Amino acid sequence: MNVLLLDDEPLELEQLEYMLLSEFPRWKLYKAANASQANSINQNHEINLAFLDINLPGKSGLEFGEELRQSNKDVEIIMVTACQDFSYAQQSIRIGVVDYLTKPVIERELLTILSKYKENHSPRNYSSLIQCSLKVIHERFAEKISLSDIANEVHANPTYLSRKFHEEVGAAFSEYLIQYRIHAAKRILISHQNWTISEVAVNTGFNSQNYFSTLFRKIEGISPTEFREKEKNNKLY
């Protein structure tokens, strides 16, 4: 599932990304801060689902949504707005918007809207064993957990769980855990500007600042400090 997230507020993008990947870890998310970036993504990837902020500088989310619909008739569009009154309803109906979310996005409301994808559109339906394992990871990622800890929680043999996890999720347990922790760290780096990098590392399950920073740079291409400054500057801009 290729998903487009369009919002000019970096924190909103990070929070939405975090919530989506927590529930749908195999989805591929593409983030854009304006319609021009979103259009470039649409030209290079087949987008299945789009979350579009209505109020953007320049071209609005609704205007981009109309263009997106013209080029991709099968895309499902969810509008995101800070406004409680939906004065854009007529235009939204015309471009086939399937639902609305209000800011700040509440996880419960998001998952209610996306429940149909859990049932029908997920690339693979996880077994109850893997669903339980993912739930434990998402709840305890900040702790010093291991595959054996998860296996004990879900009452499974560690070797069997390791094999099933890789088969269904498409990544090894350790790889998935690191990716999930990095996504959590990105959110914290933005939302907790007063936290040191060491505090971010500790609160996302990494045993040292150096190890966290090394992995972060390897995955994101920049250091945690550079990421924080970049997102701060984007927000100011």
Side-chain angles (χ1 to χ4, degrees):
M1 175 80 82
N2 290 333
V3 182
L4 171 65
L5 312 180
L6 172 58
D7 199 308
D8 63 324
E9 299 180 44
L11 181 57
E12 294 290 343
L13 279 177
E14 292 297 332
Q15 290 177 330
L16 186 55
E17 177 188 40
Y18 179 83
M19 287 188 284
L20 286 172
L21 288 179
S22 295
E23 195 69 17
F24 302 94
R26 298 197 59 168
W27 281 11
K28 182 66 176 177
L29 307 186
Y30 299 92
K31 296 184 293 183
N34 53 56
S36 177
Q37 292 177 5
N39 184 56
S40 178
I41 291 170
N42 182 51
Q43 290 176 350
N44 290 284
H45 305 279
E46 184 180 352
I47 300 300
N48 309 111
L49 175 65
F51 290 83
L52 309 180
D53 182 23
I54 289 181
N55 296 310
L56 296 169
K59 188 176 295 182
S60 73
L62 280 169
E63 290 172 319
F64 173 74
E66 192 163 7
E67 294 177 1
L68 177 62
R69 172 68 65 204
Q70 291 172 359
S71 64
N72 183 352
K73 63 182 179 62
D74 295 321
V75 67
E76 296 200 2
I77 298 174
I78 296 174
M79 301 307 303
V80 184
T81 176
C83 304
Q84 293 297 328
D85 62 293
F86 303 124
S87 57
Y88 306 103
Q90 186 175 1
Q91 186 177 351
S92 298
I93 292 171
R94 188 171 69 248
I95 67 174
V97 170
V98 298
D99 224 316
Y100 279 97
L101 281 171
T102 55
K103 293 183 178 181
V105 175
I106 298 173
E107 186 173 17
R108 182 182 67 256
E109 296 176 358
L110 173 67
L111 296 182
T112 297
I113 288 175
L114 298 180
S115 59
K116 64 177 181 179
Y117 296 101
K118 197 75 173 176
E119 299 168 0
N120 304 320
H121 293 260
S122 181
R124 184 175 300 174
N125 292 321
Y126 298 132
S127 64
S128 58
L129 173 64
I130 299 305
Q131 288 181 25
C132 291
S133 299
L134 290 171
K135 185 174 185 293
V136 175
I137 292 172
H138 298 167
E139 291 175 350
R140 298 181 54 193
F141 71 92
E143 302 174 21
K144 302 298 186 285
I145 56 173
S146 66
L147 177 64
S148 295
D149 295 327
I150 303 298
N152 185 56
E153 285 270 356
V154 299
H155 310 292
N157 177 274
T159 302
Y160 176 74
L161 176 60
S162 177
R163 178 169 61 81
K164 290 294 290 180
F165 194 96
H166 194 279
E167 285 178 359
E168 296 190 30
V169 179
F173 163 79
S174 58
E175 179 186 352
Y176 179 85
L177 179 59
I178 287 172
Q179 290 283 355
Y180 192 84
R181 283 171 167 169
I182 291 296
H183 280 297
K186 288 165 63 178
R187 184 186 181 204
I188 291 174
L189 283 165
I190 296 173
S191 60
H192 293 74
Q193 293 283 335
N194 60 322
W195 284 21
T196 65
I197 302 303
S198 179
E199 288 174 319
V200 175
V202 169
N203 282 276
T204 49
F206 293 98
N207 56 19
S208 76
Q209 178 180 333
N210 287 339
Y211 179 57
F212 165 60
S213 296
T214 298
L215 282 176
F216 193 98
R217 181 181 288 277
K218 180 179 179 181
I219 293 171
E220 298 296 326
I222 56 177
S223 71
T225 301
E226 290 169 335
F227 173 83
R228 173 180 274 170
E229 288 301 314
K230 177 184 175 183
E231 295 300 321
K232 185 190 297 184
N233 291 337
N234 286 342
K235 187 172 184 179
L236 290 174
Y237 179 77

